[in-house]
Amino acid sequence: MSRNAAFSPPPDARAYRLRTARGEFAVVDSPVADGVEPRGVAVMLPGFTGSKEDFTLLHQPLGARGYRTVAVDGRGQYESDGPEHDEAVYARPELARDVLAQVAALGTRVHLVGHSLGGQIARAAVLLDHAPFVSLTLVSSGPARISESQQQRVKLLRDALDTMTMAQVWKVMQAMGPPEEVGAPAPAHGPEDPERLRDRWLGTRPAQLLATGRQLCTEPDRVAELAAVPLPCHVLSGAYDDTWPVPLLDEMAVRLDARRTVVTGAEHSPNTDQPLPTALALADFWDGLPAPPPTDNRA
């Protein structure tokens, strides 16, 4: 459900492990461009089967607009540690607390951006404590569980992981062709670098996929709860989405009294399908908000 466009971070970005009260998390931290006045910090959470690299093409245009960007591998995703088989640590409240710890470690209030699964984790973090956040942007992330067709894809993956290793599942997916054609969620799309895609797939913990896949299929509608939180919201998506239909996202934006952006030419992953218009939409939203207290937002 997450499509990757590039693995190599911008030349001025730093890849490191962010130390928090809940452990270390792999991040790509990209600074504000030289000569640009810092305007804020954004933390970006990837989707199911995704990673921090899903935001690679957003770093530079957002840095040029004055925003430091920190893309995070969540617990058990790609380069962040997590248990192989203990699904309890990947419960939605636990992942939300991880986000709060990440922001606390950065030491400043942030704009929170979540793509797909990452949007639902972001929502859970905001519902636990909205104080660390300046705004919330939900990218192709809907009000409740995913569509029936995507639930079937997740079920296929979960059934496969019950009997096969991650390496065996990868081989099956490669042999059967593009995941959209065989009914399984994509580990990634994008760079002509199959080894990097394979490494990302193998780095993700099976328990994380099992637990978060179940969450995607059972997530309740929490829009009313989120609407009661005094935090500016932005609902951004492509013009077509088979995970949460676009009219459903339109309706959610109305319920949240949120800013709504539809990125032309993009589908479920506007951050990789159309990164420049997506970055501009994010920066335009943030620019229109009251400025947070001044901090040093350069990496």
Side-chain angles (χ1 to χ4, degrees):
M1 292 181 193
S2 184
R3 296 186 177 184
N4 178 266
F7 272 89
S8 298
D12 55 352
R14 293 189 298 132
Y16 63 94
R17 300 184 73 80
L18 178 68
R19 294 183 178 181
T20 81
R22 290 176 62 84
E24 295 186 352
F25 297 87
V27 303
V28 171
D29 190 335
S30 189
V32 174
D34 289 342
V36 176
E37 185 69 22
R39 296 185 63 87
V41 179
V43 168
M44 300 185 287
L45 312 179
F48 186 61
T49 76
S51 71
K52 60 191 178 302
E53 286 72 25
D54 292 337
F55 302 104
T56 295
L57 298 180
L58 301 184
H59 291 303
Q60 287 189 311
L62 289 174
R65 292 285 295 267
Y67 294 97
R68 174 186 170 194
T69 49
V70 183
V72 184
D73 282 341
R75 183 178 301 276
Q77 281 184 317
Y78 191 28
E79 294 180 323
S80 286
D81 293 335
E84 294 281 329
H85 304 294
D86 182 4
E87 293 186 42
V89 301
Y90 302 109
R92 181 59 49 80
E94 296 302 314
L95 299 179
R97 292 185 185 101
D98 286 347
V99 175
L100 295 174
Q102 292 154 12
V103 176
L106 292 172
T108 186
R109 294 180 70 211
V110 306
H111 300 283
L112 187 59
V113 179
H115 172 238
S116 195
L117 168 71
Q120 295 197 332
I121 294 170
R123 179 174 72 178
V126 166
L127 290 174
L128 280 178
D129 183 6
H130 71 273
F133 305 108
V134 182
S135 71
L136 171 65
T137 297
L138 304 173
V139 179
S140 302
S141 186
R145 63 183 181 270
I146 55 178
S147 66
E148 290 291 336
S149 63
Q150 289 293 337
Q151 288 184 48
Q152 290 302 311
R153 293 182 179 187
V154 171
K155 183 179 185 302
L156 284 171
L157 175 60
R158 293 182 58 222
D159 288 347
L161 289 173
D162 281 341
T163 58
M164 292 187 284
T165 66
M166 291 289 284
Q168 289 170 332
V169 173
W170 175 261
K171 288 181 179 179
V172 170
M173 290 194 299
Q174 298 309 294
M176 295 180 71
E180 291 86 352
E181 296 178 10
V182 302
H189 281 224
E192 297 299 324
D193 190 350
E195 287 303 310
R196 295 296 294 270
L197 296 179
R198 179 179 180 275
D199 288 346
R200 176 166 83 164
W201 174 257
L202 294 179
T204 301
R205 310 309 191 269
Q208 192 271 353
L209 291 173
L210 290 167
T212 57
R214 183 179 294 107
Q215 292 162 23
L216 284 168
C217 295
T218 59
E219 179 76 2
D221 187 322
R222 305 188 72 185
V223 175
E225 293 176 71
L226 183 59
V229 175
L231 191 71
C233 290
H234 183 193
V235 175
L236 186 151
S237 74
Y240 172 77
D241 197 311
D242 65 350
T243 304
W244 288 279
V246 169
L248 191 65
L249 300 175
D250 294 338
E251 179 189 22
M252 182 178 73
V254 172
R255 294 171 64 194
L256 291 172
D257 192 22
R259 185 176 182 127
R260 179 72 173 108
T261 299
V262 177
V263 179
T264 302
E267 297 188 9
H268 184 61
S269 298
N271 42 305
T272 60
D273 293 342
Q274 295 288 341
L276 184 56
T278 298
L280 294 178
L282 290 170
D284 287 347
F285 170 57
W286 299 334
D287 284 353
L289 301 176
T295 56
D296 183 1
N297 292 328
R298 297 182 187 273

